[in-house]
């Protein structure tokens, strides 16, 4: 860990699609402790760009759960839904540089294309997009957009990787890690139903909020490769990263937001003492049936 860094800014960035579970609590405490140990700053960002799944009552629930647990953050809570122009400006820059293209494919069309091709490389977000819309003529693109055809915007990964050159990101413990964003294919940077995507919004927000240390689950290691690429393309600084193991249940399944019995709300309802829970989590002691995925 880079203990010599004086000004540490960390963040916890939940999506308000359900109540927080014990894994979120563990992650949020780690981010807070990393900042506090260095006299730094901890921020809270609500990743609510998914209009269909994000709910105001979940935002309230997250804040209530964190306060109960004793996770304290600095400054205002940042809501991604209120920062769409930041994301739009970056997307416009990438569009201007010819690094993104509109994709009109439906999920069903993509699945059919992949089935027909007989090969389906997988990236972090699922099967790699087969590139159907990558080379549409500019006038076809413009005509379809003018007609109101639903589309997302995808990164032209080959072009982007060629533009950025070889990249590494810094792991807090392990040093430089080679980024392999190309494994994810042409990722979506603006969704059909939202003017941005997780990858673009999180990358821009981490810079804009001055985050120096990103601590998150190791399900997002591949996302870090993509975020590093976006930083290079948009000329943004790259924070340090650390990815912690996920928590799983007795069957080895990842904890889901809705799993009964392990949400913070449920533990609170059972009369759990938050100070005790904090101590347990800091000592990697989890409720019965919950363990580290790697253990
Ligand atoms: N919003 C993401 C989640 O809830 C976390 C994103 C991040 O930490 O970069 O899984």
């Amino acid at each position: 860990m880079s203990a010599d860094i004086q000004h540490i800014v960390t963040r916890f960035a939940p999506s308000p699609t359900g109540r927080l579970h014990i894994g979120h609590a563990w992650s949020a405490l780690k981010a807070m402790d990393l900042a506090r140990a260095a006299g730094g700053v901890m921020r809270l960002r609500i990743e609510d760009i998914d209009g269909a799944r994000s709910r105001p009552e979940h935002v309230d629930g997250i804040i209530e759960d964190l306060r109960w647990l004793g996770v304290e953050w600095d400054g205002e809570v940042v809501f991604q839904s209120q920062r769409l122009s930041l994301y739009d400006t970056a997307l416009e820059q990438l569009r201007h540089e010819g690094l993104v293209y509109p994709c009109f494919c439906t999920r069903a069309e993509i699945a059919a294309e992949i089935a027909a091709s007989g090969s389906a490389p997988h990236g972090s977000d699922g099967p790699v997009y087969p590139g159907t819309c990558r080379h549409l003529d500019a006038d076809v693109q413009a005509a379809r957009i003018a007609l109101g055809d639903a589309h997302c915007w995808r990164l032209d990964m080959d072009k982007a990787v060629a533009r950025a050159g070889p990249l590494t990101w810094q792991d807090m413990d392990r040093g430089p890690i080679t980024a392999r964003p190309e494994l994810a294919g042409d990722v979506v940077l603006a969704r059909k139903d939202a003017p941005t995507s997780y990858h673009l919004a999180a990358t821009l927000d981490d810079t804009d909020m001055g985050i120096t240390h990103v601590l998150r689950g190791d399900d997002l290691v591949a996302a870090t490769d993509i975020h590093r690429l976006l930083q290079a393309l948009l000329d943004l600084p790259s924070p340090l990263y650390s990815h912690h193991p996920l928590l799983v249940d007795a069957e080895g399944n990842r904890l889901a937001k809705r799993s009964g019995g392990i949400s913070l709300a449920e533990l609170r309802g059972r009369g759990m003492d938050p100070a005790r829970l904090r101590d347990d989590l800091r000592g990697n002691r989890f409720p019965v049936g919950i363990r580290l995925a790697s253990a």
Side-chain angles (χ1 to χ4, degrees), residues 11-16 24 45 47 80 198 202 206 214-217 219-220 227 257:
R11 66 6 175 232
F12 178 56
S15 308
H24 295 116
R45 177 169 80 229
E47 302 209 322
Q80 290 190 325
Y198 161 64
D206 283 338
V214 171
L215 204 140
R216 58 187 172 197
D219 55 330
L220 291 172
H227 299 183
K257 284 210 175 73

Short mmCIF file of all heavy atoms in Angstrom, two decimals, residues 11-16 24 45 47 80 198 202 206 214-217 219-220 227 257, ligand 1:
data_model
loop_
_atom_site.label_atom_id
_atom_site.label_comp_id
_atom_site.label_asym_id
_atom_site.label_seq_id
_atom_site.Cartn_x
_atom_site.Cartn_y
_atom_site.Cartn_z
N ARG A 11 -13.68 6.23 -2.46
CA ARG A 11 -15.13 6.36 -2.64
C ARG A 11 -15.81 5.01 -2.52
O ARG A 11 -15.20 3.94 -2.70
CB ARG A 11 -15.46 7.06 -3.94
CG ARG A 11 -15.21 6.53 -5.35
CD ARG A 11 -14.71 5.19 -5.60
NE ARG A 11 -14.64 4.84 -6.99
CZ ARG A 11 -15.18 3.74 -7.52
NH1 ARG A 11 -15.79 2.85 -6.78
NH2 ARG A 11 -15.06 3.48 -8.80
N PHE A 12 -17.09 5.08 -2.20
CA PHE A 12 -17.96 3.91 -2.28
C PHE A 12 -19.03 4.31 -3.28
O PHE A 12 -19.57 5.42 -3.21
CB PHE A 12 -18.55 3.60 -0.90
CG PHE A 12 -19.49 2.43 -0.89
CD1 PHE A 12 -19.07 1.18 -1.35
CD2 PHE A 12 -20.78 2.56 -0.41
CE1 PHE A 12 -19.95 0.10 -1.35
CE2 PHE A 12 -21.66 1.48 -0.40
CZ PHE A 12 -21.24 0.26 -0.87
N ALA A 13 -19.31 3.42 -4.24
CA ALA A 13 -20.15 3.82 -5.38
C ALA A 13 -21.26 2.81 -5.67
O ALA A 13 -21.25 2.14 -6.71
CB ALA A 13 -19.26 4.03 -6.61
N PRO A 14 -22.21 2.66 -4.77
CA PRO A 14 -23.25 1.65 -5.00
C PRO A 14 -24.27 2.07 -6.06
O PRO A 14 -24.48 3.26 -6.29
CB PRO A 14 -23.94 1.56 -3.62
CG PRO A 14 -23.75 2.92 -3.03
CD PRO A 14 -22.41 3.40 -3.52
N SER A 15 -24.87 1.07 -6.69
CA SER A 15 -25.99 1.31 -7.60
C SER A 15 -27.27 1.10 -6.78
O SER A 15 -27.39 0.07 -6.10
CB SER A 15 -25.97 0.31 -8.75
OG SER A 15 -24.69 0.32 -9.35
N PRO A 16 -28.22 2.03 -6.83
CA PRO A 16 -29.41 1.90 -5.97
C PRO A 16 -30.46 0.98 -6.56
O PRO A 16 -31.57 1.39 -6.88
CB PRO A 16 -29.90 3.35 -5.87
CG PRO A 16 -29.49 3.96 -7.17
CD PRO A 16 -28.21 3.28 -7.60
N HIS A 24 -21.25 -5.32 0.44
CA HIS A 24 -21.14 -3.87 0.27
C HIS A 24 -20.58 -3.23 1.53
O HIS A 24 -19.75 -2.32 1.47
CB HIS A 24 -22.51 -3.24 -0.01
CG HIS A 24 -23.14 -3.67 -1.30
ND1 HIS A 24 -24.31 -4.38 -1.36
CD2 HIS A 24 -22.76 -3.47 -2.58
CE1 HIS A 24 -24.62 -4.60 -2.62
NE2 HIS A 24 -23.70 -4.06 -3.38
N ARG A 45 -20.84 7.98 -3.88
CA ARG A 45 -21.43 8.26 -5.21
C ARG A 45 -22.53 7.24 -5.47
O ARG A 45 -22.31 6.03 -5.35
CB ARG A 45 -20.34 8.15 -6.27
CG ARG A 45 -20.88 8.35 -7.67
CD ARG A 45 -19.77 8.51 -8.67
NE ARG A 45 -19.16 7.26 -9.09
CZ ARG A 45 -17.85 7.03 -9.13
NH1 ARG A 45 -16.98 7.94 -8.74
NH2 ARG A 45 -17.39 5.87 -9.55
N GLU A 47 -24.65 5.45 -8.14
CA GLU A 47 -24.57 5.17 -9.58
C GLU A 47 -25.97 4.84 -10.10
O GLU A 47 -26.35 3.67 -10.23
CB GLU A 47 -23.55 4.06 -9.82
CG GLU A 47 -22.17 4.46 -9.28
CD GLU A 47 -20.99 3.87 -10.00
OE1 GLU A 47 -21.06 2.69 -10.40
OE2 GLU A 47 -19.98 4.59 -10.16
N GLN A 80 -25.03 10.22 -10.10
CA GLN A 80 -24.67 10.22 -11.52
C GLN A 80 -25.79 10.78 -12.39
O GLN A 80 -25.53 11.42 -13.41
CB GLN A 80 -24.29 8.81 -11.98
CG GLN A 80 -22.96 8.36 -11.39
CD GLN A 80 -22.43 7.09 -12.00
OE1 GLN A 80 -23.20 6.20 -12.34
NE2 GLN A 80 -21.12 6.98 -12.11
N TYR A 198 -21.99 2.60 -17.38
CA TYR A 198 -21.17 2.48 -16.17
C TYR A 198 -19.71 2.85 -16.45
O TYR A 198 -19.11 3.64 -15.72
CB TYR A 198 -21.27 1.05 -15.61
CG TYR A 198 -20.14 0.73 -14.67
CD1 TYR A 198 -19.99 1.43 -13.47
CD2 TYR A 198 -19.16 -0.22 -15.00
CE1 TYR A 198 -18.91 1.18 -12.62
CE2 TYR A 198 -18.10 -0.47 -14.16
CZ TYR A 198 -17.97 0.23 -12.97
OH TYR A 198 -16.91 0.00 -12.15
N ALA A 202 -18.32 6.10 -14.54
CA ALA A 202 -17.45 5.84 -13.38
C ALA A 202 -16.05 6.40 -13.63
O ALA A 202 -15.43 6.98 -12.73
CB ALA A 202 -17.39 4.34 -13.10
N ASP A 206 -14.62 9.36 -11.27
CA ASP A 206 -13.45 9.14 -10.41
C ASP A 206 -12.45 10.29 -10.60
O ASP A 206 -11.87 10.78 -9.64
CB ASP A 206 -12.81 7.77 -10.70
CG ASP A 206 -13.62 6.63 -10.06
OD1 ASP A 206 -14.37 6.89 -9.10
OD2 ASP A 206 -13.49 5.48 -10.53
N VAL A 214 -9.07 3.76 -5.85
CA VAL A 214 -10.34 3.07 -6.13
C VAL A 214 -10.25 1.67 -5.55
O VAL A 214 -9.38 0.89 -5.93
CB VAL A 214 -10.60 2.99 -7.66
CG1 VAL A 214 -11.80 2.10 -7.94
CG2 VAL A 214 -10.81 4.38 -8.24
N LEU A 215 -11.15 1.40 -4.62
CA LEU A 215 -11.18 0.09 -3.99
C LEU A 215 -12.52 -0.54 -4.33
O LEU A 215 -13.57 0.05 -4.06
CB LEU A 215 -11.09 0.33 -2.48
CG LEU A 215 -10.54 -0.82 -1.68
CD1 LEU A 215 -9.64 -0.25 -0.62
CD2 LEU A 215 -11.67 -1.58 -1.06
N ARG A 216 -12.52 -1.69 -4.97
CA ARG A 216 -13.80 -2.31 -5.35
C ARG A 216 -13.60 -3.81 -5.54
O ARG A 216 -12.48 -4.31 -5.47
CB ARG A 216 -14.34 -1.65 -6.62
CG ARG A 216 -13.41 -1.70 -7.81
CD ARG A 216 -13.98 -0.88 -8.95
NE ARG A 216 -13.05 -0.73 -10.07
CZ ARG A 216 -13.17 0.18 -11.02
NH1 ARG A 216 -14.17 1.01 -11.01
NH2 ARG A 216 -12.30 0.25 -12.00
N GLY A 217 -14.70 -4.49 -5.81
CA GLY A 217 -14.67 -5.94 -5.87
C GLY A 217 -13.89 -6.47 -7.07
O GLY A 217 -13.75 -5.77 -8.09
N ASP A 219 -14.70 -8.52 -9.17
CA ASP A 219 -15.53 -8.71 -10.37
C ASP A 219 -15.31 -7.54 -11.34
O ASP A 219 -15.73 -7.62 -12.49
CB ASP A 219 -17.02 -8.83 -10.01
CG ASP A 219 -17.54 -7.66 -9.19
OD1 ASP A 219 -16.74 -7.06 -8.41
OD2 ASP A 219 -18.73 -7.33 -9.30
N LEU A 220 -14.64 -6.49 -10.88
CA LEU A 220 -14.47 -5.30 -11.72
C LEU A 220 -13.03 -5.13 -12.22
O LEU A 220 -12.68 -4.08 -12.75
CB LEU A 220 -14.94 -4.05 -10.97
CG LEU A 220 -16.47 -4.02 -10.76
CD1 LEU A 220 -16.89 -2.87 -9.84
CD2 LEU A 220 -17.20 -3.90 -12.09
N HIS A 227 -11.46 1.15 -18.02
CA HIS A 227 -11.40 2.51 -17.47
C HIS A 227 -10.02 3.13 -17.74
O HIS A 227 -9.91 4.31 -18.05
CB HIS A 227 -11.72 2.49 -15.98
CG HIS A 227 -13.12 1.97 -15.72
ND1 HIS A 227 -13.69 1.91 -14.48
CD2 HIS A 227 -14.06 1.49 -16.56
CE1 HIS A 227 -14.90 1.41 -14.58
NE2 HIS A 227 -15.14 1.15 -15.83
N LYS A 257 -28.19 -8.45 -4.06
CA LYS A 257 -28.76 -7.40 -3.22
C LYS A 257 -30.02 -7.87 -2.50
O LYS A 257 -30.34 -7.43 -1.42
CB LYS A 257 -29.09 -6.19 -4.08
CG LYS A 257 -27.85 -5.39 -4.45
CD LYS A 257 -28.21 -3.93 -4.62
CE LYS A 257 -26.99 -3.07 -4.87
NZ LYS A 257 -26.43 -3.23 -6.21
N1 LIG B 1 -21.86 0.68 -8.94
C1 LIG B 1 -21.05 -0.48 -8.95
C2 LIG B 1 -21.71 -1.57 -8.13
O1 LIG B 1 -22.58 -1.30 -7.33
C3 LIG B 1 -19.66 -0.26 -8.36
C4 LIG B 1 -18.81 0.46 -9.29
C5 LIG B 1 -17.41 0.79 -8.83
O2 LIG B 1 -17.06 0.68 -7.65
O3 LIG B 1 -16.67 1.22 -9.71
O4 LIG B 1 -21.35 -2.71 -8.31
#
